[in-house]
């Protein structure tokens, strides 16, 4: 290996089991972590935890996801106040998954984010999914300072839009936009 190779060579990242083992050890938790077997579909195993360590692990997970959980709860409350139903809103892998939303609720959300002039809304008209999807795609980044949310229309549920997930920072910006 030459001197240039030595300087540019980056070590391989630790295995998932080694990373988890180190994190548990740093937290003072005693659990044996085993590397995956070839036939175990790359699953990492944690041995049984005693009740004290299990509670500590749960606390650590909640602390790590505190911002996302708080943002999701606040966003749910604000949307309920506006009568926007987001039944699939949940925290998933540290991100806030918004989930399915009825077309009329999505249109209301787009109006609240100032994408639709009130004069264009005709009483008794229903918006189509593609139009509301476009409105949200336009309004969401403006309201959140550049944040985006994936929006899709599925053939199996044409009366719903499916909103993807956002990080806690984007959720807080969305909350601020909806509070005013």
């Amino acid at each position: 290996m030459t001197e240039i190779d030595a300087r540019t060579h980056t070590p391989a990242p630790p295995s998932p089991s080694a990373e988890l083992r180190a994190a548990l050890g740093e937290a003072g938790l005693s659990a044996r972590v085993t590397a995956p077997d070839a036939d175990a579909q790359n699953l990492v195993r944690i041995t049984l935890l005693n009740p004290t360590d299990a509670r500590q692990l749960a606390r650590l997970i909640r602390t790590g996801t505190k911002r996302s959980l708080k943002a999701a709860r606040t966003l749910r409350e604000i949307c309920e106040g506006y009568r926007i139903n987001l039944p699939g809103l949940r925290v998933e892998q540290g991100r806030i998954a918004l989930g399915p939303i009825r077309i009329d609720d999505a249109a209301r959300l787009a109006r609240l984010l100032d994408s639709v002039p009130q004069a264009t809304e005709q009483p008794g008209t229903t918006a189509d999914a593609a139009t509301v999807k476009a409105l949200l795609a336009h309004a969401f980044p403006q309201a959140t300072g550049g944040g985006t949310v994936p929006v899709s229309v599925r053939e199996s549920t044409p009366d719903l839009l499916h909103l993807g997930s956002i990080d806690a920072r984007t959720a807080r910006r969305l909350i601020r936009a909806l509070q005013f």
Side-chain angles (χ1 to χ4, degrees), residues 74-124:
T74 303
L75 187 56
R76 183 179 292 111
E77 290 168 357
I78 288 173
C79 287
E80 286 172 357
Y82 285 118
R83 293 192 173 115
I84 295 172
N85 188 16
L86 287 170
L89 183 83
R90 66 191 176 286
V91 175
E92 199 171 74
Q93 297 179 350
R95 294 179 59 83
I96 299 164
L98 300 174
I101 184 171
R102 290 187 342 233
I103 301 291
D104 57 333
D105 286 343
R108 188 175 310 111
L109 177 60
R111 281 194 306 276
L112 289 168
L113 297 175
D114 292 330
S115 73
V116 182
Q118 296 298 326
T120 62
E121 182 72 13
Q122 299 297 324

Side-chain angles (χ1 to χ4, degrees), residues 64-172:
T65 58
K66 185 183 231 176
R67 287 183 175 177
S68 295
L69 291 168
K70 183 179 179 184
R73 183 176 52 249
T74 303
L75 187 56
R76 183 179 292 111
E77 290 168 357
I78 288 173
C79 287
E80 286 172 357
Y82 285 118
R83 293 192 173 115
I84 295 172
N85 188 16
L86 287 170
L89 183 83
R90 66 191 176 286
V91 175
E92 199 171 74
Q93 297 179 350
R95 294 179 59 83
I96 299 164
L98 300 174
I101 184 171
R102 290 187 342 233
I103 301 291
D104 57 333
D105 286 343
R108 188 175 310 111
L109 177 60
R111 281 194 306 276
L112 289 168
L113 297 175
D114 292 330
S115 73
V116 182
Q118 296 298 326
T120 62
E121 182 72 13
Q122 299 297 324
T125 61
T126 57
D128 67 284
T131 301
V132 176
K133 177 182 175 183
L135 292 172
L136 281 174
H138 175 74
F140 199 87
Q142 289 183 343
T144 61
T148 61
V149 63
V151 180
S152 62
V153 181
R154 298 183 183 154
E155 287 182 26
S156 60
T157 54
D159 57 333
L160 297 174
L161 289 178
H162 295 269
L163 305 179
S165 64
I166 56 177
D167 59 24
R169 184 177 179 184
T170 302
R172 287 191 302 275

Side-chain angles (χ1 to χ4, degrees), residues 32-76:
R32 202 172 117 225
V33 179
T34 58
D37 295 330
D39 62 340
Q41 300 175 353
N42 295 325
L43 298 175
V44 175
R45 297 185 192 276
I46 303 174
T47 61
L48 298 175
L49 292 169
N50 67 49
T52 302
D53 286 348
R55 282 197 262 316
Q56 178 63 16
L57 182 57
R59 276 193 292 275
L60 289 169
I61 291 169
R62 286 188 191 104
T63 299
T65 58
K66 185 183 231 176
R67 287 183 175 177
S68 295
L69 291 168
K70 183 179 179 184
R73 183 176 52 249
T74 303
L75 187 56
R76 183 179 292 111

Side-chain angles (χ1 to χ4, degrees), residues 9-26:
H9 178 72
T10 56
S15 69
S17 58
E19 191 173 347
L20 181 58
R21 187 179 307 111
L24 288 169
E26 290 164 359

